[in-house]
Amino acid sequence: MDKVVMVGVFDFVNFHVCKALLDKGIEVRGVQIESEEDEDMIIEKRLEIGRNANFTEVSFGDITKDKNKNETIVLSVYDLYMRYKEEYLLNEDMLFNLIRKNQWEKVAILVPSQLLNEVIDSKPEVIIEDFIKRTYAWNKNIHLLYLPTIYGPWQPDTFMFQSSILNERNRGKPYKGLREETGDALFVHDTAQFILEIIENQQPGRYLLHSGKSNQWEKCAAFLGIDEQESNPILQIREEGITKIIVNSTVPISVGLTKQVEHANRLYSE
């Protein structure tokens, strides 16, 4: 995997995957899906990776015109879902055709773990499920990675953790409601590394990334002082065809969340 196209490069999980790719010396072309995020935040992210000679920011048009057989494409539907932007998946001229038309070496799609529920009945999840089915109908050689709650620096305020942190500073926006899965939680730096390993070294297939521990989300919430009765766990997982991958923690929950708090404090104190 020498060259990668990141679709939604400045979104939360994808941004950390991009940085991990660049750290390995892999060439990345990044395209950003339209975002309502504060332009100052996008500028901050550009400063983090823009000076790397292996990174180029491009447009959808640039990607669509290419027929590079040696590139891998990574699309984070997970980030779209957590930004309440899953309806972009309905745009045939954008994401689906981008994946379908180009002759990619590998295709990797990150999705929320709730899609493993036996029953899919909410509109956002139906949209994602339909997108995945259409994509598989075209090409079954896809790395489909299911992610639980991911936490760490740059987490959007649509997650309960970041919303709570910003509310402590009176910088929070009205909370839209619990979308992330509350059965598990992974630190974003560790998750990005495992995503790379799976794409590079594992066969195409369906992978669930998890901590291998119980009550990780609740432990994170407790560390942040969140006393919340809402929950959004996977009720009954569809096990068939799923490979479970334990993401080994490199830092305790307290360290990972402290990094997130300190990062948020730095961003919102400027």
Side-chain angles (χ1 to χ4, degrees):
M1 190 167 66
D2 299 320
K3 298 180 180 180
V4 176
V5 168
M6 303 288 298
V7 181
V9 67
F10 296 122
D11 290 339
F12 173 44
V13 177
N14 247 11
F15 181 65
H16 285 277
V17 174
C18 176
K19 291 199 295 181
L21 287 164
L22 294 173
D23 287 344
K24 292 191 67 173
I26 295 173
E27 184 179 326
V28 177
R29 293 197 295 160
V31 56
Q32 180 58 21
I33 301 170
E34 182 183 356
S35 174
E36 294 178 355
E37 187 174 26
D38 192 319
E39 182 62 26
D40 290 340
M41 301 300 178
I42 298 292
I43 292 171
E44 284 277 342
K45 290 177 180 178
R46 286 194 177 107
L47 289 174
E48 280 196 34
I49 61 176
R51 296 188 183 92
N52 192 305
N54 283 327
F55 177 75
T56 307
E57 188 174 351
V58 294
S59 68
F60 269 106
D62 294 330
I63 302 298
T64 304
K65 292 174 186 176
D66 292 344
K67 299 295 180 183
N68 194 331
K69 297 181 181 180
N70 299 318
E71 283 186 310
T72 294
I73 185 169
V74 180
L75 166 64
S76 181
V77 173
Y78 179 92
D79 285 316
L80 286 177
Y81 174 77
M82 286 308 303
R83 290 204 293 117
Y84 290 77
K85 294 296 182 182
E86 64 278 346
E87 290 192 0
Y88 278 115
L89 300 174
L90 300 174
N91 188 333
E92 289 284 347
D93 294 328
M94 189 180 289
L95 298 178
F96 182 69
N97 280 342
L98 179 65
I99 293 175
R100 182 172 61 86
K101 287 183 177 179
N102 290 51
Q103 297 175 325
W104 304 105
E105 181 180 31
K106 297 179 180 179
V107 175
I109 303 176
L110 316 181
V111 295
S113 55
Q114 292 97 309
L115 268 292
L116 290 175
N117 269 317
E118 283 286 357
V119 178
I120 303 295
D121 54 8
S122 74
K123 181 180 178 182
E125 292 166 8
V126 168
I127 289 173
I128 296 172
E129 181 82 349
D130 180 64
F131 177 81
I132 292 170
K133 287 178 179 177
R134 288 187 296 145
T135 304
Y136 262 117
W138 166 72
N139 185 349
K140 291 181 172 56
N141 294 321
I142 295 171
H143 289 83
L144 197 63
L145 291 86
Y146 294 85
L147 308 179
T149 290
I150 308 297
Y151 67 91
W154 291 117
Q155 191 189 58
D157 60 9
T158 50
F159 287 80
M160 183 176 288
F161 298 165
Q162 186 74 349
S163 177
S164 173
I165 291 167
L166 295 183
N167 280 331
E168 287 290 319
R169 298 183 54 86
N170 294 318
R171 299 299 297 267
K173 300 175 184 176
Y175 187 54
K176 290 186 176 181
L178 193 67
R179 268 206 163 184
E180 69 261 37
E181 184 214 322
T182 59
D184 200 7
L186 301 172
F187 185 45
V188 69
H189 292 166
D190 300 331
T191 305
Q193 294 297 331
F194 271 79
I195 288 171
L196 260 62
E197 287 187 24
I198 293 169
I199 296 172
E200 283 192 300
N201 302 318
Q202 301 293 332
Q203 293 296 315
R206 299 163 71 230
Y207 297 87
L208 170 62
L209 279 66
H210 67 113
S211 68
K213 302 174 183 177
S214 61
N215 302 321
Q216 287 294 89
W217 191 93
E218 289 88 348
K219 291 174 183 175
C220 291
F223 179 82
L224 294 172
I226 297 172
D227 182 16
E228 185 60 50
Q229 299 302 312
E230 283 187 276
S231 65
N232 190 23
I234 298 178
L235 299 176
Q236 189 173 1
I237 188 172
R238 289 179 287 171
E239 299 272 3
E240 185 178 357
I242 292 290
T243 301
K244 295 182 179 180
I245 302 289
I246 293 178
V247 176
N248 297 318
S249 301
T250 58
V251 298
I253 284 174
S254 58
V255 173
L257 286 171
T258 297
K259 289 179 181 289
Q260 180 172 338
V261 171
E262 290 175 345
H263 182 265
N265 287 341
R266 179 182 65 80
L267 283 178
Y268 287 91
S269 64
E270 295 175 353

